[in-house]
Amino acid sequence: MYKFVIDSITLPVAPEKVEIKIKSQNKTISTANGGEINIINTPGLTDIDFQVLLPNVLYPFANYPNEFPAVSKEKEGFKPASYYLEHFERLMLAKAPFKFYIIRQGQSGAIYADYSIMNVSLEGYTIVEDVNSAPDVLVQMSLKQYRPYVLERQAVKDGKVSPIKNTTSSKPKVLKPYVVKKGDTLWAICRKQLGDGSKYKQIAKLNHIANPNRIYPGQVIRFA
């Protein structure tokens, strides 16, 4: 069984296939004597493409996480396609990277391969209206790996370019303890407070929480 997680939200139905394209930026140059040399550069950004089914009805094969409020016992965690489409739209408008990863899990629950968490951007998505899949929605997703960068200011003097030193200093932000509210999860708290939900295990250990999936309203979570 596969699970696709986008920005801490598990897709209800894992795509049948995913294309992960790791691009090379190597260059081949022809030499004067007719030979060739290969210049090896840093790999380019990884492209991720897949098509996902977003159900509008309840299916026994779909994954409905308990992170959502239960509509009923039979529909616990169920959300229609519009919920995910609205989330995709927010990711596009946010102009910020988010986490993406794939989990391969056996029937016993054991994880055979947990693909590394990757920072990505949502490059675009296409909503496909197909009579064969109605009333559900098909969405073609295009993600791209994100690498942080720093823009360096430069000054030109007497025809020479030199970097401008940043004279301002900023102290690291100290986060206040967080009081757990009804419906909170440790993953969601870490994502909101730290910008990275995957740090939930680290925060659980810091707060001596034996089971990270079990936190209670009124519980105080420290981050340092």
Side-chain angles (χ1 to χ4, degrees):
M1 180 175 67
Y2 284 86
K3 290 183 180 180
F4 281 60
V5 182
I6 293 179
D7 190 39
S8 79
I9 289 183
T10 304
L11 296 179
V13 180
E16 292 184 1
K17 64 178 181 179
V18 58
E19 293 185 2
I20 301 177
K21 186 177 181 181
I22 303 171
K23 296 184 294 185
S24 167
Q25 296 192 110
N26 299 344
K27 292 184 179 180
T28 301
I29 299 176
S30 299
T31 60
N33 61 3
E36 290 182 330
I37 58 173
N38 189 21
I39 300 177
I40 300 176
N41 291 319
T42 302
L45 299 175
T46 298
D47 291 322
I48 305 168
D49 295 282
F50 56 86
Q51 188 178 72
V52 61
L53 173 71
L54 302 178
N56 272 316
V57 295
L58 195 67
Y59 292 121
F61 57 81
N63 177 53
Y64 302 119
N66 292 329
E67 61 193 62
F68 305 125
V71 177
S72 67
K73 190 170 183 180
E74 292 75 20
K75 292 188 176 183
E76 187 173 1
F78 172 77
K79 287 288 183 180
S82 58
Y83 170 84
Y84 298 94
L85 292 175
E86 290 171 3
H87 188 70
F88 297 160
E89 183 178 3
R90 286 195 295 270
L91 290 177
M92 289 285 287
L93 296 175
K95 300 179 182 179
F98 54 91
K99 303 292 182 183
F100 168 78
Y101 60 96
I102 305 171
I103 298 175
R104 182 189 297 160
Q105 193 172 21
Q107 294 183 352
S108 63
I111 296 176
Y112 294 108
D114 187 347
Y115 291 87
S116 298
I117 296 175
M118 184 184 299
N119 287 319
V120 299
S121 60
L122 179 53
E123 293 298 292
Y125 60 96
T126 302
I127 301 172
V128 181
E129 294 289 349
D130 189 338
V131 66
N132 295 319
S133 61
D136 305 323
V137 177
L138 290 171
V139 181
Q140 184 69 41
M141 306 285 295
S142 294
L143 310 177
K144 184 181 286 289
Q145 181 185 13
Y146 174 84
R147 289 183 187 145
Y149 60 91
V150 177
L151 296 177
E152 186 181 66
R153 295 186 300 161
Q154 294 183 333
V156 179
K157 184 178 181 181
D158 298 330
K160 295 181 179 180
V161 179
S162 59
I164 299 176
K165 294 183 179 180
N166 189 356
T167 57
T168 61
S169 60
S170 58
K171 296 181 180 179
K173 184 179 178 181
V174 178
L175 291 175
K176 296 180 180 179
Y178 179 87
V179 180
V180 177
K181 300 179 180 62
K182 185 177 180 180
D184 277 344
T185 63
L186 195 55
W187 176 289
I189 292 172
C190 290
R191 181 180 179 277
K192 183 177 180 181
Q193 300 295 321
L194 305 175
D196 187 353
S198 65
K199 292 183 178 180
Y200 75 99
K201 291 183 180 179
Q202 175 184 337
I203 297 303
K205 185 176 180 180
L206 176 67
N207 288 271
H208 307 291
I209 299 174
N211 186 350
N213 296 319
R214 302 185 69 179
I215 57 176
Y216 308 95
Q219 188 173 359
V220 178
I221 305 296
R222 296 181 299 106
F223 303 99

